[in-house]
Amino acid sequence: MKPEELLYFPIWYFKIRVLKKQIPLQTVIFVTNECNYKCKHCCVDKSAPHSMSYNEIKEHLIYSYKCGSRFVDFEGGEAGRGKYSEKSDTPLGEITGEYKTINDLCALAKSIGFYSTTVTTNASYDFSFLNADHIFISLDGIKAHDIIRGEGAFEKLKENIAKFPYPERVSANMVINPINKDEISDVLEFVQNSPYINGISFNFYNPVNGETALCINKREDIVNTILKYKKNGYKILNSKRGLKYLIRPDFKKDCWITNFITLDGKRYSGCPDKTYCNICGLGMGGEMRALYDFNIETILSGLKLRNLS
């Protein structure tokens, strides 16, 4: 980590705790809704497939950096396979002329000043070309992965993670729901024994468009199981404090630590959908609260995840 980057964090923390300013530290930007899967728990509207233009993304990145953000996560859809036109008036779902790739977006973020870039992928294709600082792959179970994403999805994931040359940059993310909740132990064993995955984070399903069928209301036993594995040295990225917050999801939120930018160009301080804030299952929510609490484990885990430690 560069000295100026290291110095930024205590200054940021002083501003948010002592001066009571709400300054984001990271940005999540949804750059496309185009995807080859139709996952049961997905919140992305794919009815009119399109991607942001390169210039639009540049404007959002500059805005976020000026707000204080220093980490950026590119999400979709399937952000890694997107084609980002240099024009802002490209028709929906249509690419004309020159276009940029996800690697161009990562390079752009770094040129603006972001310390770290992350790309989330479903790992259904060879993603070894990605040059982001960190890659998050979506892992929904062992057998359940195919149930949620389609037949053959798990085998494709195993095949493609083995092709990525920097396994220390690859982490998994699991969204816990009634379909896969009984496979958490199996997933943890898979990740622990895989030389291609650095660790795994956990979230609970959040309602999409009022659909609550995949929600899990009683989370204590599940969280305690994950905590037991974490105590035994399994590669779990959530901090203990962050996980415990998910048992009682009505905890005080500090979600402004992340600013979100949706595909329609709207900018949000915190989560774009606060409808279900009192039953939030996003691991990020617990981690942001733990970060605000100055939980040392959370801070160190975050730096390690971003390859800054």
Side-chain angles (χ1 to χ4, degrees):
M1 185 189 300
K2 298 176 182 178
E4 62 268 24
E5 294 176 354
L6 185 61
L7 183 63
Y8 183 80
F9 300 112
I11 295 174
W12 173 81
Y13 195 76
F14 174 82
K15 289 179 178 178
I16 68 165
R17 288 303 303 258
V18 178
L19 303 182
K20 304 299 182 183
K21 295 185 177 182
Q22 294 190 351
I23 302 171
L25 189 60
Q26 71 174 3
T27 296
V28 174
I29 178 169
F30 296 90
V31 292
T32 183
N33 65 353
E34 299 190 55
C35 186
N36 55 320
Y37 281 163
K38 296 181 179 180
C39 304
K40 295 181 182 298
H41 61 270
C42 184
C43 63
V44 177
D45 181 5
K46 307 182 188 73
S47 58
H50 69 291
S51 301
M52 280 188 185
S53 74
Y54 179 81
N55 289 333
E56 288 170 332
I57 295 167
K58 183 177 181 178
E59 289 178 7
H60 291 310
L61 289 174
I62 292 173
Y63 160 82
S64 299
Y65 184 84
K66 288 181 177 179
C67 287
S69 179
R70 292 298 181 268
F71 307 113
V72 59
D73 299 342
F74 293 109
E75 300 194 10
E78 187 53 36
R81 302 189 76 173
K83 294 181 179 180
Y84 306 99
S85 171
E86 293 194 75
K87 298 180 180 179
S88 300
D89 57 352
T90 303
L92 299 184
E94 180 183 334
I95 295 294
T96 57
E98 295 295 322
Y99 66 85
K100 301 291 188 178
T101 68
I102 188 66
N103 285 342
D104 292 313
L105 302 187
C106 291
L108 172 64
K110 285 299 192 70
S111 71
I112 290 171
F114 284 88
Y115 300 164
S116 175
T117 60
T118 303
V119 173
T120 299
T121 176
N122 59 29
S124 64
Y125 60 96
D126 180 355
F127 60 89
S128 60
F129 68 93
L130 292 177
N131 65 7
D133 296 295
H134 208 88
I135 313 295
F136 260 110
I137 62 167
S138 300
L139 176 60
D140 296 313
I142 306 301
K143 295 180 180 178
H145 192 77
D146 283 12
I147 296 172
I148 292 172
R149 294 182 177 266
E151 186 175 352
F154 185 65
E155 287 301 318
K156 289 179 182 177
L157 180 147
K158 289 198 298 181
E159 175 185 342
N160 289 315
I161 61 174
K163 297 176 181 177
F164 193 77
Y166 307 106
E168 68 278 7
R169 296 184 184 180
V170 178
S171 298
N173 178 66
M174 183 177 182
V175 179
I176 304 170
N177 56 63
I179 300 172
N180 62 14
K181 65 181 180 63
D182 295 326
E183 292 192 12
I184 293 173
S185 295
D186 293 334
V187 167
L188 281 166
E189 293 294 345
F190 172 75
V191 171
Q192 190 71 11
N193 295 319
S194 173
Y196 309 115
I197 303 177
N198 179 56
I200 183 168
S201 63
F202 291 95
N203 298 275
F204 287 92
Y205 169 80
N206 258 24
V208 178
N209 298 324
E211 179 54 63
T212 59
L214 293 178
C215 288
I216 293 180
N217 297 319
K218 295 182 179 179
R219 305 174 182 175
E220 186 169 7
D221 288 345
I222 293 174
V223 170
N224 285 338
T225 295
I226 297 172
L227 286 170
K228 180 185 71 174
Y229 276 96
K230 187 173 180 66
K231 184 178 180 180
N232 290 332
Y234 280 68
K235 299 184 290 188
I236 297 168
L237 301 176
N238 305 67
S239 66
K240 293 189 287 289
R241 178 77 64 86
L243 284 166
K244 289 177 181 178
Y245 275 130
L246 296 182
I247 297 175
R248 296 284 302 274
D250 56 350
F251 63 89
K252 184 181 181 300
K253 307 297 191 301
D254 295 289
C255 296
W256 48 264
I257 291 176
T258 300
N259 72 303
F260 290 78
I261 300 170
T262 51
L263 189 59
D264 57 7
K266 293 181 180 178
R267 298 165 175 171
Y268 297 87
S269 175
C271 184
D273 185 1
K274 296 180 172 61
T275 307
Y276 304 101
C277 199
N278 64 324
I279 58 171
C280 177
L282 297 179
M284 183 189 296
E287 298 304 314
M288 285 188 284
R289 180 61 200 175
L291 175 61
Y292 188 82
D293 293 340
F294 202 72
N295 181 264
I296 297 299
E297 182 205 353
T298 303
I299 295 170
L300 294 177
S301 295
L303 291 174
K304 181 180 179 182
L305 176 64
R306 300 290 183 171
N307 298 315
L308 294 174
S309 60

